[in-house]
């Protein structure tokens, strides 16, 4: 157990005065991430400036058996970064900036505390695309994006954060610095250690720096909204578009009728490019480099889909401004926490062909239990990722049965061999349901890896899973 | 230590008679992989038919502390699968076949012993592309492709084998079966365990089955051979082509003048589409779905490169047959082991911008030590992967100083912060040089992971690295 005064004086010796907060001086912003309630006061907040600081902090905490909660931009949706009482918060926010953009290699080397948006803008200024993108871009940090294997709207073309990470620098639980800043697309020299840390939610090491892969910056985008009759047609359109637009489908977002109606009637500023009442809507994007040729290819793809009856209506954005207004349909989810509170929001994945049947089964189960419930389905269907939200009109936050709704939904995820987390992670919030998507053997192996890398269990303890 | 008679009788009880070979009955084909000399006789060869067999075999070997060498198609170039005396060979060759192609999910579930070519053909017959491709396709097996994280010619567009693996079934050292046959592109439910096994060269588990991601089958290909003045221009052409052909550059193979001259003058059936004497040649492919539009885009890309002086000459294949003849330039490497024996062949990677200077430094160092040496450079430059071969005319196999050539080359790899293995793996062959590309902290963490997953050290012991 920790000898608190001794540890605090060791931390004070490592950090400049602005780098250490304790007691009443702790800023409340370090006590919660998105959607989590304010947690109990941590023991301290440390804000290192260098990898050497992080190493010294972890070495000290390791000696004292002191739990440490790494924090990025605090935009996580699974409460992995909300500290518990007596834990030490390790914020990466002062370790920020783009260290290098290598134009020949097509890579950028970034400090973990850099916001995604700052990294995206630096890449763009150099003529490149950092392809991972998500709504929290202005606040979320690269280290957190890696630790949670962030997803977003462009995964269908560019992959998840894991696929952008070529190299990593990470400090292990005992303070060992692992500098593995590889810039190569191919490197089979032994185990691929970066993979161990991507998506481990701060439980295996603290990421301090990374080498990210950049993509050629697209110079032209085509966007359409399509209306479809059935979920099977949604999947057929996905495959048709991917074949017809070889390599260039850059978003494929499905919306069920319930979602389309909700956002076009309730969210201010969202207009309906197509009539309501169709069972499904799909927003599809092509990113390319030749506006005329791309537009022709996009039109041929849509004509083919129309002729074969795959789509029953479509609107093509005539300008970038109109494309933005189409995207508001999808971005309207950012308003749900306010306009539709309280609601339970989900991020699951399923084999693509099962998503339609899953959504039907979910709706039936929710309505059976809560007949007045409102439920909307939408998601990155091209990536096998379904989001849905459940709202109970007239039920206030205190009475909202979130845990019961979770239990109903995740039981159906288990039936359909899906994942309880597609892109948001497990954290604390989904920990009770990890076993719905992972076998006992898988959970045992996760614990084996955790015990090997963090034998004292000081890194983000109790997140993702509990010790054996 | 193993109680041999007891172990052999346990193995005999698990397997049918054709599944177990011992003593003089052991077929010599199990005693070597490509390029390795015939190894000493193993204790036994086991050829299970089911995952349950594999589990029972490993449980028995684990109890007895018996080393086990997993074998796929035996086409590896790093001797990871050549057994040592007294080891048990576990061949996956009887666990083969495609279990399922899920047309909606775009996945195939395959047994580990399936050849890559059989899997590719099954995918193609269903209208899909299994994108990883390499020369050994007819012999190499999916399990080995995963265990070595195979690369090949299409990595620039589709990624390595790691990027095709969505789910995995693997038997751990103690016989525990880990069935993790995920079909989803996104799954952040806890640690991504499949990553631990991909590229681990049989040292952490025995892969029995996998779910592979399929890509839309391209229906049209454009191929050109370009001549260039400098390596910097090769990199500029890469970026120019990737921007101009957004998402569709599907191969980018560079050949130095020495390579081009060698294959066009010495390998029968290889013709020279462009004159010799240019410093660099690049073979570039576009895969797409609209032959006319693709050809126009490809031509515009090449015209732009010609106008800006990036390329000094180019030949565009007018037919699939001509494209094949262009590819013979690259595939001619398959003849090197015979026509240019003995030679030392390399598979390294470097930050792309450094590859030109690396090749120059390597040539100088080799010629300084062996003034009569012949050396050719070529490779998947778009993936940061350089291959080179060194031949000493008039030196016979017995006198060929392969270890000395390795030492010279891998010292330069270290200087340039490159990797001693881009795609072939480490096995036994490159083990002495793993430290040239990995830090002591990285090696220590690899050993930590090995010890956690295989505490008795029975899985492919002594491959990749030695125990601490």
């Amino acid at each position: 157990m920790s000898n608190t005064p001794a540890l605090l004086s060791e931390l004070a010796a490592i950090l400049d005065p602005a780098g250490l907060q304790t007691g009443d001086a702790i800023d409340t912003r370090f006590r919660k991430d998105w959607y989590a309630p304010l947690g109990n006061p941590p023991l301290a907040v440390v804000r290192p400036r260098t990898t050497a600081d992080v190493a010294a902090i972890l070495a000290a905490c390791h000696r004292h058996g002191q739990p440490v909660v790494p924090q990025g931009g605090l935009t996580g949706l699974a409460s992995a970064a909300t500290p518990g009482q007596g834990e030490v918060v390790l914020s990466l926010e002062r370790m920020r900036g783009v260290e290098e953009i290598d134009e020949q290699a097509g890579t950028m080397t970034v400090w973990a505390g850099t916001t995604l948006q700052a990294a995206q803008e630096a890449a763009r200024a150099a003529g490149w695309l950092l392809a991972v993108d998500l709504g929290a871009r202005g606040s979320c940090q690269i280290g957190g994006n890696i630790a949670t294997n962030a997803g977003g709207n462009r995964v269908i073309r560019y992959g998840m954060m894991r696929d952008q990470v070529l190299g990593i620098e990470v400090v292990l639980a005992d303070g060992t610095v692992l500098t593995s800043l590889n810039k190569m697309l191919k490197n089979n020299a032994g185990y691929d250690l970066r993979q161990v840390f991507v998506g481990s939610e701060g439980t295996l090491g603290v990421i301090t720096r990374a080498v990210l892969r950049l993509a050629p910056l697209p110079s032209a985008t085509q966007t359409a909204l399509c209306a479809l009759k059935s979920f099977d047609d949604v999947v057929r359109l996905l495959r048709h578009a991917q074949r017809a637009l070889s390599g260039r489908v850059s978003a494929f977002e499905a919306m069920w009728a319930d979602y389309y109606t909700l956002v076009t009637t309730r969210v201010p500023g969202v207009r309906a490019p197509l009539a309501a009442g169709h069972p499904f809507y799909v927003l599809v994007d092509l990113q390319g480099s030749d506006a005329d040729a791309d537009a022709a290819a996009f039109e041929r793809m849509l004509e083919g889909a129309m002729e074969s009856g795959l789509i029953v209506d479509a609107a093509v954005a005539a300008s970038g401004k109109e494309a933005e207004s189409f995207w508001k349909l999808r971005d309207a989810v950012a308003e749900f926490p306010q306009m539709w509170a309280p609601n339970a929001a989900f991020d699951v994945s399923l084999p693509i062909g099962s998503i339609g049947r899953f959504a039907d089964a979910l709706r039936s189960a929710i309505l059976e239990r809560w007949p007045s419930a409102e439920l909307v389905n939408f998601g990155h269907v091209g990536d096998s990722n379904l989001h849905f939200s459940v709202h109970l009109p007239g039920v206030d936050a205190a009475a909202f049965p979130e845990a019961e709704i979770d239990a109903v939904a995740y039981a159906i995820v288990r039936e359909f061999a899906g994942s309880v987390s597609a892109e948001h992670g497990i954290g604390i919030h989904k920990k009770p349901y990890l076993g719905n998507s992972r076998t006992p053997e898988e959970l045992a192996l996760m614990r084996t890896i955790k015990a090997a890398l963090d034998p004292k269990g000081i890194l983000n303890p109790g997140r993702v899973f509990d010790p054996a």
Side-chain angles (χ1 to χ4, degrees), chain A residues 141-337:
Chain A
Q141 296 173 7
I142 294 294
N145 295 150
I146 297 172
T148 58
N149 188 26
N153 291 332
R154 301 295 179 194
V155 172
I156 192 169
R157 174 157 176 186
Y158 299 101
M160 298 187 74
M161 196 66 186
R162 180 182 302 282
D163 303 295
Q164 322 307 319
V165 177
L166 294 178
I168 204 168
E169 180 178 75
V170 60
V171 182
L172 304 182
D174 66 359
T176 299
V177 178
L178 193 86
T179 300
S180 193
L181 294 170
N182 167 71
K183 283 186 177 181
M184 285 86 76
L185 296 189
K186 283 183 177 168
N187 186 349
N188 274 347
Y191 303 165
D192 189 346
L193 299 172
R194 70 191 150 151
Q195 305 294 346
V196 172
F197 300 99
V198 179
S200 68
E201 302 189 39
T203 64
L204 297 177
V206 176
I207 296 156
T208 50
R209 228 175 349 160
V211 180
L212 304 177
R213 180 181 190 173
L214 300 174
L217 190 62
S219 54
T221 303
Q222 312 295 323
T223 303
L225 181 72
C226 305
L228 303 95
K229 292 191 301 286
S230 70
F231 186 79
D232 281 351
D233 282 351
V234 171
V235 179
R236 284 190 201 103
L237 177 64
L238 168 67
R239 301 313 178 195
H240 166 73
Q242 288 180 316
R243 283 191 166 77
L245 304 176
S246 188
R248 288 170 292 170
V249 173
S250 303
F252 193 90
E253 297 293 317
M255 294 168 264
W256 275 243
D258 45 31
Y259 178 91
Y260 190 78
T261 300
L262 180 77
V263 300
T264 55
T265 59
R266 299 269 301 275
V267 181
V270 177
R271 70 178 194 87
L274 296 176
H278 296 290
F280 291 90
Y281 298 83
V282 165
L283 195 58
V284 57
D285 253 21
L286 174 166
Q287 289 184 335
S289 55
D290 182 329
D292 293 342
D294 293 348
F298 199 59
E299 203 168 299
R300 279 195 300 276
M301 181 278 286
L302 291 170
E303 280 169 8
M306 193 76 91
E307 278 163 22
S308 64
L310 256 189
I311 56 180
V312 293
D313 201 359
V316 180
S319 64
K321 201 173 144 65
E322 194 170 20
E324 267 176 45
S325 90
F326 286 15
W327 271 98
K328 278 195 184 149
L329 289 163
R330 185 61 181 78
D331 296 338
V333 293
E335 307 301 322
F336 286 11

